[in-house]
Amino acid sequence: MWILSAATLVNRSGTMVLAFLVLYVTHTMGVTPARAAIALMVYGVAALLAMPLAGILSDRVGPLPVMKASLFLTGFLLLLFPLAKSYSAILLMTFAFAVLNESVRPASLSMVSDLVPPAQRKAAFALSRLAANLGMSVGPAIGGILAVYSFRWLFLVDGSTSILAGVVLALAPIRNVGRQKMHEPEWTDATDLGREIEADSVTPLAALHPAADLRAFRNPRMLYFLAALIPVQLVGFQLTSTLPLFLVRYLHFKESVFGTIFTVNTLLIVALEVPLNAAMAHWTHRRTLMLGAFLYAVGFGSYALVGIAPFGRTAGVFAAVVIWTFGEMILMPGSSAYAAEIAPPERRGEYMGLYTMSFNVAFAMGPWLGASILGKWGATAVWGAAFVSGCISTLLMSRAEPRKGPDPSQPSLVR
């Protein structure tokens, strides 16, 4: 698990091409920002297509080969990317970049699920997120410095770190656990962390049905979970769209204040997410998912009140950051652990592909919805809608607990 996280850290530390893609296209092609932004749309569409396919491939050949192939091929593609000299060639390279780059995510989540028993999954996913956040806090910052000299350096560094991460996995003594666990019994919810945990495994349900009946797109429990998750995902993506507009145009803060939000968010995640999830390992999935979604709702919803906060607007803004960051630290590892729990072992990659695809769907919808509400009805409306949306997820998550035992006559979604 630590080796896998180390590879994630190396890979994410060089992540910079995507952050500067629009600037690169406008600089290289001399096109308008709107036309350059089409490259991001192409990336998003390709990612939507790639994630479920990468998940299915992980089930067929194992997650480790998919991860290594994704990292190596992404690295070599980035080294060749600057050779694209036309607008259409850049869009084609961007599509291929998205397919290869995003294929690592469902495979990585599937592998984390297989490496540790259920009692440790929340902490394991938190560790993986910690590595990703640490890397992302470094990569774009270095990219900004390199872009001053030449955009080619972005592709060289990003591609090299991707290849280096693949080397870490290639040299590490990690088994291709996905394929080897396909016909093994699932981990049991024992006292893996030295404490009793509530057994909420769905293995009995998986045993009742042929594997074909438990495909991710056919599993009502999985579809319900994603439907419950998307409303709060829409709230989370206001961070990069509506929130900066609100802070700068409505509260008249400087842009540096918005940048500081990322610093506070990252520091809290680095310091607290892993021990927090280790301490919550014995919590049921329902309790974890409900609390995470509700803290998101309260955190973003409270921006509607910062203008009248008795302790000042700045303190109100950062108090909200702390609240929704705790929601993020609880909900993100918890939702990954839940998706792993409800997936039959032989289809875990497929489930993780569908799970990660839901984030892309929310990313495509959330910023547009938030900006539209902000423009038409104002700040109070958008943050009120964020609170309601998060509460909807909280309510739906209250019925997302896995069944406690087999019921051949009623393989239902809820207890």
Side-chain angles (χ1 to χ4, degrees), residues 185-210:
E186 177 69 349
W187 292 94
T188 56
D189 282 328
T191 55
D192 296 289
L193 296 180
R195 65 183 69 133
E196 292 186 2
I197 64 172
E198 183 175 350
D200 52 5
S201 173
V202 296
T203 302
L205 178 63
L208 288 173
H209 302 278

Side-chain angles (χ1 to χ4, degrees), residues 210-230:
D213 292 341
L214 287 172
R215 294 185 67 92
F217 286 98
R218 297 177 185 174
N219 188 338
R221 180 183 281 113
M222 182 65 176
L223 297 179
Y224 179 90
F225 167 59
L226 295 181
L229 188 61
I230 285 178

Side-chain angles (χ1 to χ4, degrees), residues 151-182:
F151 280 102
R152 290 179 179 270
W153 281 103
L154 301 180
F155 297 97
L156 176 61
V157 174
D158 201 338
S160 298
T161 52
S162 182
I163 293 172
L164 181 58
V167 171
V168 171
L169 290 182
L171 298 180
I174 303 178
R175 294 185 302 121
N176 190 19
V177 290
R179 290 291 295 173
Q180 295 174 358
K181 288 187 57 157
M182 283 180 61

Side-chain angles (χ1 to χ4, degrees), residues 326-348:
F326 269 89
E328 178 186 357
M329 292 190 293
I330 294 171
L331 182 65
M332 293 298 102
S335 61
S336 298
Y338 182 79
E341 184 76 6
I342 63 179
E346 66 272 18
R347 291 193 178 276
R348 192 161 281 146

Side-chain angles (χ1 to χ4, degrees), residues 289-321:
L289 296 172
M290 287 180 64
L291 179 59
F294 184 68
L295 289 176
Y296 257 118
V298 173
F300 279 92
S302 63
Y303 284 122
L305 306 176
V306 296
I308 58 174
F311 41 81
R313 294 187 305 172
T314 302
V317 167
F318 284 99
V321 173

